[in-house]
Amino acid sequence: MQMTMRWFGPEQDKIPLEYIRQVPGVEGVVGALYDVPVGETWPKDKIRALVDQAHQAGLTMEVIESVNIHDDIKIGLPSRDRYIANYQQTIRHLAEFGVKVICYNFMPVFDWMKTEMNYVLPDGSVTMAFEKKGIDKSLEEVVKEVLDNANGFALPGWEPERLAQVQQLFAKYDGVDDDRLRENLAYFLQAVIPVCEEVGVKMAIHPDDPPYSIFGLPRVVKNRDDLDWICQVVDSEANGITLCTGSIAEDPANDVYQILAEFTRRKRIHFAHVRNIKLIQDKDFYESAHLSRCGSLDMYQVMKALYDNGFDGYIRSDHGRFIWGETGRPGYGLYDRAVGTNYLLGLWEALQKR
């Protein structure tokens, strides 16, 4: 198991690599390029510069999060083949610089959804939350609220230029239901997994966030059966999962511990995002501190399901509150993620020493 933290690069992250290097137990950073348009091939020189920065700081960069997928692939337009060819080339380029895992998602329009970016908890810390009443408004209003509360940071999956015409983007998905989206995901995987096998890279799909339909959009990565279908549609260890405990737990019907145990045992969880959430009512939730008693998940059981079933992939403490006066990119302050990281490492050590 390798503990990592997400880092958005020198232009997009206020947290320097030397600070991340000082978090006990963190061996690597998870990075990405944000100045390459979605669908275009990532150039080697940009990848080299990104990876070299991590190495110079004494950290690995073996996981990329994310190489986003162009909407034309998700919709199934004729132009998708060009974008898939670009994606295949990006996989080859990343492999040359030691990347082992690519995290991605297949969510239409929005890569994730929160309705409150600065949700204040009773202790004064600030977190993100989702309440269904918060999306009971126009698409333009929802987009504006998220972007206006991003604290001045670009949010991956919420590119303003792409969402400026959100109604037109929604119209492109007209007729794309769960079955059609699933077919388009299969088409994509059948094209890219053979390339991954050639170069030693593993794809790791992130669950839908939230794992149920919003705005009438299709959802195909929302529960155990969806994950099973994905693993079987291209039956290769290179075709795997980024298991995000927070996203899966947003639907109380999902048995997070059983899902973790099964797909770890099947060697399909290549990357784990481990965070806690507090379910409020009727699927509304906020992102809590990692500690078990702060949320709705038993984090000991989360780590136990991974450990007992032989998890040997990459892991990161996912999302953190703003504590001790820190501000920055919502969900990605340094302090609470560092606290969460060492809590998870403490649980892991306890499991090793049982």
Side-chain angles (χ1 to χ4, degrees):
M1 184 270 284
Q2 184 181 127
M3 180 61 73
T4 66
M5 290 184 74
R6 192 172 188 183
W7 181 63
F8 292 87
E11 305 299 325
Q12 295 284 340
D13 205 319
K14 65 182 289 186
I15 300 166
L17 285 172
E18 54 263 35
Y19 287 9
I20 294 175
R21 181 70 178 85
Q22 293 170 13
V23 179
V26 171
E27 300 175 59
V29 286
V30 175
L33 296 177
Y34 300 104
D35 59 350
V36 179
V38 175
E40 299 306 313
T41 301
W42 287 18
K44 288 185 183 182
D45 60 335
K46 290 181 179 290
I47 297 171
R48 179 185 292 107
L50 180 69
V51 173
D52 282 352
Q53 289 176 82
H55 291 172
Q56 289 163 11
L59 296 159
T60 68
M61 187 178 284
E62 297 177 358
V63 181
I64 292 296
E65 181 184 349
S66 301
V67 182
N68 288 334
I69 296 175
H70 197 278
D71 285 298
D72 288 11
I73 298 173
K74 300 175 187 178
I75 296 166
L77 299 178
S79 53
R80 66 181 171 179
D81 289 332
R82 179 174 78 84
Y83 293 118
I84 288 174
N86 290 345
Y87 207 103
Q88 292 170 323
Q89 196 59 35
T90 294
I91 293 170
R92 296 185 183 102
H93 287 177
L94 289 168
E96 288 187 34
F97 295 94
V99 170
K100 307 297 184 187
V101 173
I102 296 173
C103 173
Y104 72 105
N105 73 74
F106 217 74
M107 288 178 265
V109 184
F110 306 114
D111 277 14
W112 48 270
M113 175 61 69
K114 301 291 183 291
T115 59
E116 178 56 71
M117 307 290 283
N118 295 288
Y119 187 88
V120 182
L121 298 177
D123 64 1
S125 60
V126 178
T127 189
M128 295 190 289
F130 177 84
E131 297 177 286
K132 286 190 293 302
K133 67 180 182 181
I135 58 173
D136 188 20
K137 55 190 70 172
S138 73
L139 290 169
E140 288 83 1
E141 287 176 308
V142 171
V143 171
K144 185 176 187 302
E145 284 187 8
V146 171
L147 297 180
D148 284 352
N149 287 281
N151 300 337
F153 289 88
L155 302 175
W158 284 78
E159 297 80 10
E161 63 278 6
R162 189 173 68 91
L163 296 177
Q165 305 295 325
V166 68
Q167 292 286 1
Q168 290 89 327
L169 183 56
F170 259 76
K172 290 182 178 180
Y173 279 91
D174 186 39
V176 180
D177 58 9
D178 285 6
D179 289 340
R180 179 73 179 277
L181 188 64
R182 193 173 286 111
E183 290 171 6
N184 295 338
L185 174 56
Y187 186 93
F188 170 75
L189 290 172
Q190 288 160 1
V192 302
I193 294 302
V195 176
C196 290
E197 291 173 334
E198 289 172 15
V199 298
V201 169
K202 296 175 180 178
M203 296 293 289
I205 195 166
H206 189 288
D208 298 328
D209 184 4
Y212 45 83
S213 179
I214 56 173
F215 302 114
L217 292 169
R219 285 286 193 256
V220 296
V221 198
K222 58 191 181 299
N223 53 38
R224 180 265 167 202
D225 289 346
D226 286 347
L227 295 172
D228 179 59
W229 177 86
I230 289 164
C231 290
Q232 292 196 55
V233 73
V234 179
D235 190 8
S236 166
E237 194 170 315
N239 176 29
I241 302 162
T242 295
L243 204 295
C244 177
T245 59
S247 296
I248 284 291
E250 289 163 17
D251 184 347
N254 285 329
D255 188 328
V256 178
Y257 317 116
Q258 287 298 320
I259 290 171
L260 282 164
E262 175 185 348
F263 290 97
T264 301
R265 193 163 53 245
R266 291 169 63 174
K267 303 298 183 186
R268 292 302 183 93
I269 298 181
H270 304 317
F271 188 23
H273 290 180
V274 181
R275 60 182 168 98
N276 208 345
I277 64 168
K278 181 66 175 179
L279 292 163
I280 306 170
Q281 60 179 0
D282 193 26
K283 298 182 181 178
D284 290 349
F285 68 91
Y286 63 80
E287 297 186 337
S288 69
H290 283 75
L291 200 68
S292 295
R293 67 170 176 258
C294 293
S296 297
L297 287 174
D298 183 332
M299 302 307 283
Y300 176 80
Q301 294 299 330
V302 165
M303 298 301 281
K304 185 175 186 294
L306 291 168
Y307 183 86
D308 285 354
N309 291 283
F311 179 73
D312 61 356
Y314 302 86
I315 187 171
R316 68 174 178 84
S317 61
D318 192 23
H319 295 181
R321 304 161 298 142
F322 285 135
I323 60 174
W324 307 334
E326 189 179 22
T327 60
R329 180 188 299 276
Y332 287 97
L334 173 64
Y335 303 150
D336 201 39
R337 284 191 297 152
V339 170
T341 292
N342 277 271
Y343 173 58
L344 299 179
L345 286 169
L347 291 173
W348 194 262
E349 182 177 345
L351 286 162
Q352 290 176 315
K353 293 180 175 179
R354 280 178 302 175

